[in-house]
Amino acid sequence: GAVTKPHGAAIILVPVVQFLVRSRGSLELRRLTRLAAIVIIALVPIAIYLVFLSREVGSPLAFAEAQESWGAANPYPLKALVGLVRFPTWLSGWVHGGVWVLYVGLLAHYWRRLSLEHALFCAGVLLVSTVQESFHGVYRYVVFLVPLFLAMAEDEDPRLRTAIVAFNLVLGAIMILAFVTHNRLVV
C-alpha cells in the first residue's frame, strides 16, 4: 500500500507502534532485530518501485514529480486547510473539507475504541489526505479508515451505523462520478 499511494505509508504505523507498545521500553537486541525486520519488510517494495521508476521513466522520484499535475507540488500536512483560505470560492474544497471534518470528528469520538496503532493509522491517513492544495478527492482517502469503521460497527446505536453507511454509499457514488468525469463540483 505504501508503494503507489502516499497514505499507504501510514500502514507502517500499525506494526511498528504495536511492536513498541508490546515491548514496553525494553529494546534488547532481539527486539531491535524484529523492529528492523518490520521496517525492512516495508522498505523493500518501496526500493524496488524506486528502481523500477528509475529504469522505466528515468527518475526514481517520478511519482513525486508527477504530483504537481494533481495540485500537490510541495506537499505538506494540512495544506488543504490553507487552500480553503487561499481559494475560498472553490465549493468542492469546502464540500470535501466538510467530509474530512466529519471523519476527524468520528475518529475523535471513537478514539478510545481503537487500539493505539489503529488510531494512529487513521490519524495518519487523515493527515496525509490534507497534503494537496484542496480537499478535492478526500473520499479516496477516507475509504482506508477501515479500523475506524470497525470501531463504529460496535456502536450501541444502530441508527448511527446505518446513517454513516448510507452517507458513505451516497457520497462514494457522487465522489467517484465527479472524479471520473473530471467534474470538480461534486454536488
Side-chain angles (χ1 to χ4, degrees), residues 34-135:
R34 287 182 180 171
L35 180 60
I38 291 170
V39 173
I40 289 169
I41 288 170
L43 292 178
V44 166
I46 294 171
I48 291 169
Y49 186 60
L50 295 178
V51 169
F52 170 79
L53 286 177
S54 181
R55 288 185 178 174
E56 297 296 318
V57 183
S59 172
L61 300 177
F63 70 94
E65 295 160 357
Q67 294 302 309
E68 187 171 347
S69 64
W70 291 95
N74 304 316
Y76 56 87
L78 305 178
K79 186 176 185 179
L81 291 173
V82 174
L84 291 176
V85 175
R86 286 186 61 212
F87 311 105
T89 59
W90 287 7
L91 181 58
S92 67
W94 288 99
V95 172
H96 289 256
V99 172
W100 184 82
V101 168
L102 168 71
Y103 279 98
V104 168
L106 288 170
L107 178 59
H109 180 75
Y110 289 101
W111 184 266
R112 294 185 187 269
R113 291 191 183 187
L114 295 167
S115 64
L116 177 62
E117 62 271 14
H118 288 129
L120 289 174
F121 168 77
C122 291
V125 167
L126 287 168
L127 190 61
V128 168
S129 71
T130 66
V131 300
Q132 293 181 328
E133 67 184 358
S134 173
F135 280 105

Side-chain angles (χ1 to χ4, degrees), residues 137-149:
V138 76
Y139 186 77
R140 68 181 187 266
Y141 292 99
V142 298
V143 297
F144 288 94
L145 299 179
V146 174
L148 178 57
F149 296 134

